Amino acid sequence: MFHHYRYLLTLFLVFTLFFAHAQKTTKIYGRILDEQTAPVPHAQVSLHHVHDGTVAKIIIADSTGNFIFQSTSFGNYYVHIKNMTHQDFTTSHFKLSESINEYNFGKIIILQNTAYLAEVVISKRKQFIEQHQDKTVFNIENSILADGNSGLELLTKIPGISQGDNGTFSLKGKSGASIMINGKLTYLSADQLANLLRSTSSNDITKIEVMTNPNAKQDAAGTSGIINIVLKKGLKQGWNGTASGNMGAGRSLHLGGSLDLNYRTDKVNIFGNYNQYFQNLEYYNSLTRYFYRNSQTEPETFSQQENKIQPKLRSNNFRVGMDFYISPKQTLGFLINGGFGKYPKYEPTTNHFRNYETKDLIWSASTITEGKERWEDMLYNINYNLKFNETGHELKVDFDMIDHHSKMDQTLTTEYKNEKLEPIPHKSSRIGDIPSDSRVYVAKIDYTLPFNEHFKLETGWKASHIRTENDLQYDTLQENGNRVPDHSTSNHFIYKETIQAGYVNLSKTWNKLSTQVGVRAEHTSTNGNQITLNDRFSKDYLKFFPSAFISYNISTNHKVQLSYSYRVERPSFWSLNPFRVYTDPFSYSEGNSKLDPAYEHAYEANYTLASKYIFTLNYADRSNVVNDIIGLDPTNQQITFERPENIGSFKNYGISFMAPTQFFSWWTATHFANYYRNEYEIPQEDELIKRSGNTLSLNTQNSFKLTKDWSLEIGGNYNSGLTIGLSKIKSYGLVYTGIQKNILNKKATIKLVVNDIFHTNTRRYETISNAVRLVGKSNPDSRTAILSFNYRFGGSNNKAKERSTGSEDIKNRL
């Protein structure tokens, strides 16, 4: 069946391409230059009728000064060019007819407005929040709070985003958000993604895009939506760049620095970036496990665990690339994006096992866990962009190859004491060798065809192939002092996945009404091979993912929008791998090769007042929910495990309000409030367990302009608690602030940022199953003070090429 769809999609693409070129159209074009023959970007170009001077069309020249008018009716015309930094220019009259349907101005030289340049300086600042039809954009680089933080810390400050203890992200209370970087999924496990975000400096981030209901052009993965982190790009002509550094401390030392270089001419753009991150961290966790026997209402025993985690993050990331401007309409680009780092951890842990009724000690254990984690990532990209004209008619082609390698060397050594705290001779020790290798290939084509300024077609195709391999080996220490392989926990696993996807997206505008409808078809083929257990599994399925948006401008100050999308949450490659990773001698996590994808219907209704106040109602219904469960190891009833399962169904109801405000000329703020309810129905044995909870989430950011060169920001967020599957997280929040001064003629800034001032960002949680109940508290290293310096050098502003490759959606799942 899928072959039929593939052939139909191919025919459709060929037809639309042929149709686009088969139309006979008029064309008026040229290029705007200054006296030094340098391009004049983004000038306003208007086309006028000769007989009365009325405007026929208005367009904006591109970043290299090129402009083009398409599909113009026959007649006599002239062109007027207007730019704030240059003198106005009017061309001579010309004629379009059946025999003369093209007019080329060639190079148009316009003169600088010297009086304007001498007296006027323009300072343009984007709003912190921008609302689009299918996404909300947070312009991070305008906030002084961005400096000195990691990408992971930055995400927790974005309204509506929260991170769970397992490293996954939620949007407005819905788990399963996909994380993209520059429009690409990262294909990483939750732990690996957390390391990547920790090693990404906020200095390198320009904006974060939140898509709660993505359109058909976006990958269908991510049941709660997509979070896209957009990194900074070179924006200036000639040599230019940015150098930055930061230092500070939480419980230990933090250091970081980055260098961005860019060289841009009319024909080539060469860019490079390098950043290094050094972080010594210290976390404190406490956990009480209550053990039940034969469905007793009261536990029989319990254990009290305390541990201190001392990781040391050392990361290096780089990005180099080149864009060739083959012609004003064609660009060929090359990109290499890489990173390497290590995350060693030293973790002393104590466990005290007691009788629940008498509270008497049964025995205790002291464990030292050492983990030496290191990774290497490389992405190679080739991309091609063809702009048929300036109306948005274009073709984009991308090819990616990704190599990921990570390795964890783990040692757990435990000493025991009896009820009298006397040492027990038996000592247990476990050594783990935990490697992960992944190779990803992605090819992607996107084609956009505007039929006119009100009607547009987008269509495309994407293919991805992923191969991951994990060969985990555990050795244990026996009483004779020898280490022997632990075959019950070792596992060699190879997983392959191929996805073929095609989409069609149509958008149409009628005066006050605009619509967008689309459908994405994804054919998925998977194959898993548990070599150790000699067990194979495979799946093959085709699914369609429709989406729709309707917007209506009631008046200048009132706008409403309705949206719908159908989404999928595929199990991560790590979750499908059934091997075990021990967090301590008494708990481990493991994957589940039997997982099925989860599917969600998501609905939203938005009302925008005065183009800035946004009210949102949302509802989601998810089936086959994937969530972690807990239980007792059948071979040792004092060891707990955590494993992902398809636990049942989920419903989310929510209402949110976002309000950018300006109280005074020197005080601007953004406020966000979200109230939602999560409901789960979880079948377990012969009963249906219902879990639900209501949550209030608040977020505020306030910016104060103190003097010409000084500014201050104060913000915070609060969450009243959260229900996720079998777990309940209690209330938490934080307050942060930052102060900034511009120096060196505003080419440099010095910033001091203090995060989690009152140290309130602790996580208290409870997880319940039939056999065990967990009550825990996580105390992260979140109170930090960071001093940063940022220096900008180089030429004049010029818009850079948007860079996004086709593989961002897969790396999140490695």
Side-chain angles (χ1 to χ4, degrees):
M1 178 64 72
F2 172 68
H3 297 291
H4 298 296
Y5 287 107
R6 184 173 60 185
Y7 295 145
L8 288 173
L9 179 61
T10 303
L11 289 172
F12 179 76
L13 286 170
V14 172
F15 173 78
T16 52
L17 287 167
F18 176 81
F19 178 77
H21 289 285
Q23 301 177 77
K24 183 177 180 180
T25 60
T26 58
K27 184 164 62 174
I28 305 164
Y29 57 100
R31 192 179 190 197
I32 307 168
L33 306 174
D34 62 15
E35 297 110 312
Q36 285 76 41
T37 68
V40 178
H42 313 306
Q44 177 182 292
V45 187
S46 54
L47 181 66
H48 297 255
H49 295 285
V50 169
H51 69 281
D52 59 3
T54 57
V55 177
K57 293 182 179 181
I58 298 178
I59 60 174
I60 302 297
D62 68 13
S63 60
T64 58
N66 289 285
F67 68 90
I68 184 168
F69 292 98
Q70 294 277 15
S71 304
T72 304
S73 57
F74 300 144
N76 296 317
Y77 297 96
Y78 67 89
V79 166
H80 182 74
I81 299 171
K82 187 174 183 179
N83 184 267
M84 296 184 72
T85 58
H86 291 75
Q87 299 177 25
D88 288 8
F89 181 86
T90 301
T91 69
S92 57
H93 298 179
F94 61 94
K95 182 179 181 179
L96 291 180
S97 64
E98 184 70 34
S99 58
I100 307 174
N101 62 358
E102 180 177 303
Y103 196 89
N104 182 7
F105 282 103
K107 297 178 180 179
I108 301 175
I109 307 297
I110 64 175
L111 305 178
Q112 285 189 336
N113 185 348
T114 56
Y116 173 84
L117 293 176
E119 297 176 7
V120 179
V121 176
I122 294 180
S123 178
K124 184 178 180 182
R125 179 183 175 91
K126 290 183 178 180
Q127 290 184 344
F128 178 64
I129 298 177
E130 295 178 355
Q131 182 68 31
H132 299 257
Q133 186 179 48
D134 55 358
K135 63 186 175 184
T136 303
V137 179
F138 298 88
N139 293 301
I140 296 303
E141 64 181 329
N142 292 331
S143 168
I144 65 175
L145 297 173
D147 284 75
N149 292 310
S150 70
L152 188 63
E153 293 167 330
L154 196 58
L155 282 184
T156 63
K157 298 177 181 178
I158 300 300
I161 299 177
S162 59
Q163 184 190 13
D165 288 336
N166 58 358
T168 59
F169 288 88
S170 299
L171 275 175
K172 295 183 178 180
K174 296 193 301 176
S175 61
S178 291
I179 304 295
M180 288 184 169
I181 297 179
N182 282 350
K184 300 173 173 297
L185 290 179
T186 54
Y187 303 113
L188 301 174
S189 70
D191 289 339
Q192 293 165 346
L193 176 61
N195 284 340
L196 174 63
L197 294 176
R198 284 190 190 99
S199 60
T200 301
S201 171
S202 56
N203 290 324
D204 299 326
I205 298 174
T206 180
K207 61 184 177 181
I208 294 176
E209 300 173 339
V210 176
M211 293 169 267
T212 52
N213 257 8
N215 61 31
K217 187 175 181 179
Q218 304 294 335
D219 288 86
T223 43
S224 73
I226 295 172
I227 302 168
N228 183 32
I229 300 171
V230 182
L231 302 179
K232 293 179 181 177
K233 311 173 182 70
L235 299 174
K236 299 178 181 179
Q237 287 282 96
W239 280 107
N240 56 86
T242 303
S244 63
N246 63 79
M247 66 178 297
R251 291 177 177 136
S252 294
L253 182 65
H254 293 215
L255 293 173
S258 67
L259 177 65
D260 288 271
L261 293 174
N262 195 87
Y263 177 71
R264 184 181 175 93
T265 68
D266 293 344
K267 292 296 184 181
V268 67
N269 183 43
I270 303 171
F271 55 92
N273 164 271
Y274 171 78
N275 71 68
Q276 188 176 54
Y277 216 63
F278 176 104
Q279 230 181 21
N280 290 345
L281 302 167
E282 196 169 292
Y283 304 105
Y284 296 95
N285 295 325
S286 61
L287 176 64
T288 302
R289 301 181 179 97
Y290 296 94
F291 301 95
Y292 295 80
R293 301 282 186 186
N294 302 322
S295 302
Q296 293 175 330
T297 57
E298 293 290 330
E300 183 177 89
T301 57
F302 71 101
S303 72
Q304 294 170 302
Q305 176 176 301
E306 300 286 340
N307 68 331
K308 180 170 70 172
I309 308 173
Q310 296 174 293
K312 297 180 179 181
L313 175 67
R314 309 288 187 265
S315 73
N316 300 266
N317 297 306
F318 64 90
R319 196 160 60 106
V320 294
M322 182 180 295
D323 295 323
F324 294 99
Y325 304 108
I326 302 171
S327 71
K329 296 179 181 178
Q330 297 184 79
T331 305
L332 179 64
F334 304 91
L335 173 68
I336 299 176
N337 197 2
F340 58 94
K342 55 185 179 180
Y343 194 60
K345 288 189 289 187
Y346 180 80
E347 184 176 349
T349 304
T350 59
N351 275 281
H352 300 286
F353 285 78
R354 299 180 182 274
N355 181 281
Y356 179 77
E357 184 176 353
T358 65
K359 305 300 185 290
D360 291 336
L361 180 68
I362 301 174
W363 54 270
S364 68
S366 298
T367 303
I368 300 296
T369 303
E370 294 183 87
K372 298 179 180 179
E373 183 177 2
R374 52 200 181 274
W375 66 88
E376 296 175 4
D377 275 305
M378 291 297 296
L379 178 147
Y380 306 90
N381 169 260
I382 300 175
N383 59 86
Y384 172 75
N385 188 11
L386 171 61
K387 291 186 176 181
F388 299 100
N389 55 43
E390 294 302 319
T391 65
H393 185 193
E394 65 179 354
L395 176 71
K396 294 182 178 180
V397 181
D398 266 284
F399 178 77
D400 292 348
M401 185 185 77
I402 299 168
D403 266 324
H404 170 80
H405 171 74
S406 63
K407 193 173 188 299
M408 166 80 85
D409 295 326
Q410 186 187 57
T411 303
L412 293 87
T413 304
T414 305
E415 295 181 347
Y416 298 90
K417 294 182 180 180
N418 60 22
E419 71 279 6
K420 298 179 181 180
L421 295 179
E422 298 169 340
I424 299 175
H426 173 66
K427 176 192 292 187
S428 69
S429 179
R430 179 183 295 275
I431 293 179
D433 179 10
I434 311 171
S436 176
D437 290 285
S438 303
R439 174 68 63 88
V440 181
Y441 299 95
V442 180
K444 182 182 178 185
I445 299 174
D446 294 296
Y447 176 68
T448 303
L449 173 63
F451 297 110
N452 55 51
E453 59 181 323
H454 302 296
F455 186 29
K456 180 175 70 174
L457 165 71
E458 296 174 291
T459 186
W461 165 84
K462 179 178 179 180
S464 62
H465 176 74
I466 305 99
R467 183 186 186 276
T468 69
E469 182 173 2
N470 305 98
D471 189 4
L472 181 146
Q473 302 290 333
Y474 268 121
D475 292 340
T476 59
L477 183 67
Q478 300 298 301
E479 292 184 5
N480 58 12
N482 295 325
R483 294 195 178 275
V484 296
D486 184 356
H487 298 293
S488 64
T489 57
S490 301
N491 188 29
H492 189 185
F493 179 70
I494 297 176
Y495 178 82
K496 298 178 182 179
E497 178 182 276
T498 301
I499 299 177
Q500 298 274 356
Y503 72 89
V504 176
N505 213 40
L506 289 168
S507 55
K508 173 72 173 170
T509 302
W510 297 272
N511 296 322
K512 295 183 177 182
L513 180 68
S514 62
T515 61
Q516 183 183 143
V517 294
V519 63
R520 186 179 185 90
E522 294 191 352
H523 178 266
T524 306
S525 177
T526 65
N527 181 275
N529 182 9
Q530 297 173 238
I531 297 174
T532 305
L533 304 178
N534 194 26
D535 183 24
R536 293 176 178 268
F537 66 89
S538 61
K539 292 181 181 179
D540 191 274
Y541 54 94
L542 171 69
K543 294 289 288 187
F544 292 89
F545 302 95
S547 63
F549 302 82
I550 301 175
S551 299
Y552 183 70
N553 292 309
I554 302 171
S555 65
T556 305
N557 291 324
H558 304 278
K559 179 182 178 180
V560 294
Q561 178 178 307
L562 303 175
S563 63
Y564 163 78
S565 67
Y566 185 49
R567 312 286 299 163
V568 62
E569 181 184 4
R570 295 186 181 90
S572 70
F573 312 133
W574 203 263
S575 296
L576 289 167
N577 192 340
F579 72 78
R580 296 177 181 178
V581 175
Y582 280 83
T583 53
D584 59 67
F586 310 106
S587 61
Y588 61 83
S589 60
E590 63 181 4
N592 180 1
S593 62
K594 308 301 181 184
L595 288 177
D596 291 319
Y599 296 96
E600 178 174 294
H601 297 275
Y603 307 83
E604 274 195 1
N606 294 320
Y607 166 65
T608 304
L609 174 64
S611 299
K612 58 181 181 179
Y613 302 111
I614 304 167
F615 299 84
T616 303
L617 293 173
N618 64 273
Y619 169 72
D621 187 352
R622 188 183 307 175
S623 60
N624 247 8
V625 175
V626 177
N627 201 263
D628 288 334
I629 67 165
I630 59 172
L632 296 179
D633 188 297
T635 63
N636 189 332
Q637 295 293 296
Q638 292 173 334
I639 296 179
T640 60
F641 68 81
E642 186 176 66
R643 180 176 62 236
E645 294 276 4
N646 294 108
I647 64 170
S649 62
F650 162 76
K651 289 182 173 61
N652 170 269
Y653 311 82
I655 181 171
S656 63
F657 173 60
M658 190 178 298
T661 55
Q662 181 151 0
F663 299 105
F664 304 98
S665 60
W666 48 269
W667 181 7
T668 59
T670 301
H671 310 291
F672 175 79
N674 183 205
Y675 185 79
Y676 57 88
R677 178 176 177 82
N678 286 347
E679 295 181 353
Y680 290 85
E681 291 188 350
I682 306 169
Q684 282 198 352
E685 297 177 356
D686 297 329
E687 61 178 328
L688 183 66
I689 298 176
K690 294 186 177 182
R691 303 272 286 178
S692 62
N694 301 321
T695 300
L696 174 64
S697 177
L698 303 174
N699 184 290
T700 182
Q701 184 188 51
N702 300 265
S703 302
F704 305 90
K705 187 72 175 176
L706 303 180
T707 65
K708 180 180 179 181
D709 293 318
W710 286 89
S711 56
L712 172 73
E713 288 198 23
I714 300 175
N717 58 57
Y718 168 77
N719 190 299
S720 67
L722 180 62
T723 300
I724 302 179
L726 299 172
S727 299
K728 283 186 178 290
I729 300 172
K730 297 185 179 180
S731 62
Y732 61 91
L734 57 86
V735 176
Y736 47 86
T737 188
I739 189 167
Q740 167 185 303
K741 179 175 172 55
N742 295 318
I743 59 174
L744 302 178
N745 294 322
K746 297 189 176 182
K747 288 187 176 181
T749 56
I750 297 177
K751 304 180 183 183
L752 176 64
V753 177
V754 182
N755 292 300
D756 194 9
I757 297 172
F758 304 107
H759 206 204
T760 52
N761 193 31
T762 57
R763 304 298 170 89
R764 297 165 296 154
Y765 60 91
E766 180 181 42
T767 305
I768 299 176
S769 74
N770 288 333
V772 62
R773 178 167 67 99
L774 307 183
V775 178
K777 180 180 179 180
S778 175
N779 189 347
D781 193 351
S782 56
R783 181 161 59 184
T784 58
I786 306 293
L787 180 67
S788 64
F789 174 79
N790 187 287
Y791 179 71
R792 300 169 295 280
F793 55 90
S796 60
N797 281 327
N798 197 351
K799 186 178 180 182
K801 177 177 178 280
E802 291 282 340
R803 299 198 60 91
S804 171
T805 71
S807 62
E808 290 299 333
D809 62 313
I810 299 176
K811 288 182 72 179
N812 268 340
R813 298 176 54 227
L814 286 182

